[in-house]
Amino acid sequence: MAITYNNLYLDIRQQLKKAGIEEATLEARELVCFGTGKSREQLQRDGGLYASPELEGRVRDLVARHLAGEPVAYLIGEWEFYGLPLDISSDVLIPRPDTEVLAGQAIEYLKTLGDCRVLDLCAGSGCIGLAAASQVPRARVVLGEWSDGALKICRQNIRRNGLSGRVVPMQVNALEKPERSLGEFQCIISNPPYIPAGDIEGLDVSVKDYEPHLALDGGEDGLDFYRAISEKWKDALVPGGRLYFEVGIGQADEVLRIMRAQGFGDIQIVKDLHDIPRVVYGTLCTEI
């Protein structure tokens, strides 16, 4: 029996709600738009028209894959972060609302600086650095990433958002000391891998089976990258520059201690939208 686009969307939304998916409204819209090849505006405009059986079948196949655990962002190949449309692939983590808290904290600081250089370290899709560049016109941003696949996505997202003039991708290993030729930055922002290696198998199927383990595995205690970046990358900060981290649940106090031991002061902890300590940042003291 034929179904209108609007009823197809409502049907999918109800199906997702029954499955306990919190963002059922958003995800239903994205799946129907992608499956039918329509923009959000076109879906709203054509809501009373009938979808072909082929298009309906395509949407329902996508929904079945999603309900089996495959994230919507990987199914449709894109996601939004801080108002920016981003290409997404299985080589990068899906940007999350909690990370917008990290981006927002850093952006407020960058707006006070004037001309500045910013490093998004462990950049993944480049979402944090691109958000900073989009909001701070006088910032020049380096997206530092080790994975070839992630760097490809970074390049696509720089072009997609028209930021080629102020954002460059660069292959770097966050666990190693940077080359001096990289220069100095007023701000380093990092959402590094922070899941303890032994905990990865216990993660939700949508994360464990689909998101890149390279971007999840933070070593035995989940803190390898915080130790390495705080120690080895502080020389890439100007004196008085700031280092911003996203941290996992229960890691904020330990990351604060790691940063303090490496000469960072005025260290602050900021909670996310769920009242969980999520961002730790500090200023590199001029004398250690």
Side-chain angles (χ1 to χ4, degrees):
M1 184 175 173
I3 188 170
T4 65
Y5 288 104
N6 191 52
N7 284 341
L8 177 60
Y9 158 72
L10 293 172
D11 191 19
I12 300 304
R13 186 178 71 172
Q14 185 63 22
Q15 196 178 349
L16 298 182
K17 280 185 176 178
K18 280 186 177 178
I21 293 173
E22 287 183 19
E23 298 289 341
T25 298
L26 168 66
E27 295 188 357
R29 184 189 66 201
E30 295 296 334
L31 289 169
V32 174
C33 283
F34 181 73
T36 61
K38 290 185 179 293
S39 67
R40 297 173 189 175
E41 294 75 18
Q42 289 170 333
L43 182 64
Q44 190 170 17
R45 181 195 68 197
D46 298 341
L49 301 180
Y50 287 93
S52 70
E54 291 77 18
L55 288 179
E56 180 188 354
R58 186 178 176 197
V59 171
R60 294 197 185 279
D61 285 345
L62 290 168
V63 172
R65 287 168 63 186
H66 180 42
L67 290 175
E70 195 167 351
V72 171
Y74 292 145
L75 285 167
I76 69 175
E78 64 180 4
W79 208 240
E80 189 174 287
F81 181 84
Y82 224 85
L84 300 178
L86 300 173
D87 288 358
I88 297 296
S89 79
S90 57
D91 287 306
V92 302
L93 294 183
I94 299 164
R96 288 167 168 78
D98 290 338
T99 303
E100 292 198 1
V101 178
L102 170 65
Q105 289 290 316
I107 285 166
E108 288 308 304
Y109 168 62
L110 295 174
K111 285 179 176 178
T112 70
L113 295 184
D115 293 338
C116 57
R117 293 187 77 226
V118 182
L119 173 63
D120 176 1
L121 190 55
C122 304
S125 65
C127 62
I128 300 168
L130 290 165
S134 74
Q135 299 295 313
V136 189
R138 295 174 69 179
R140 293 190 171 271
V141 179
V142 174
L143 304 181
E145 173 56 56
W146 178 244
S147 158
D148 289 328
L151 280 168
K152 178 184 176 184
I153 295 297
C154 282
R155 286 190 286 271
Q156 291 173 202
N157 285 328
I158 292 168
R159 288 193 299 269
R160 181 169 184 174
N161 288 282
L163 290 166
S164 299
R166 291 190 293 112
V167 183
V168 296
M170 193 169 295
Q171 188 162 42
V172 298
N173 185 348
L175 295 173
E176 301 294 336
K177 198 172 180 67
E179 299 287 337
R180 293 184 68 87
S181 59
L182 193 60
E184 289 186 317
F185 299 88
Q186 280 70 36
C187 185
I188 296 176
I189 314 166
S190 184
N191 178 17
Y194 57 65
I195 306 296
D199 292 353
I200 291 177
E201 280 304 308
L203 296 174
D204 187 84
V205 168
S206 65
V207 178
K208 176 188 69 173
D209 291 351
Y210 293 97
E211 303 214 45
H213 286 203
L214 184 68
L216 297 171
D217 189 345
E220 186 176 351
D221 62 358
L223 300 171
D224 282 3
F225 283 82
Y226 300 109
R227 283 187 282 263
I229 293 170
S230 297
E231 176 190 354
K232 297 178 180 180
W233 286 80
K234 63 185 178 185
D235 287 345
L237 274 174
V238 300
R242 278 196 191 173
L243 173 60
Y244 284 80
F245 280 127
E246 178 172 322
V247 300
I249 294 173
Q251 293 178 328
D253 288 341
E254 190 57 43
V255 171
L256 182 150
R257 284 190 281 272
I258 289 168
M259 293 178 70
R260 183 177 288 151
Q262 292 300 329
F264 289 88
D266 191 23
I267 302 173
Q268 306 291 321
I269 295 174
V270 179
K271 293 182 178 179
D272 66 15
L273 310 173
H274 303 288
D275 211 35
I276 295 168
R278 184 64 68 185
V279 176
V280 182
Y281 70 87
T283 303
L284 184 64
C285 299
T286 51
E287 293 183 10
I288 300 175

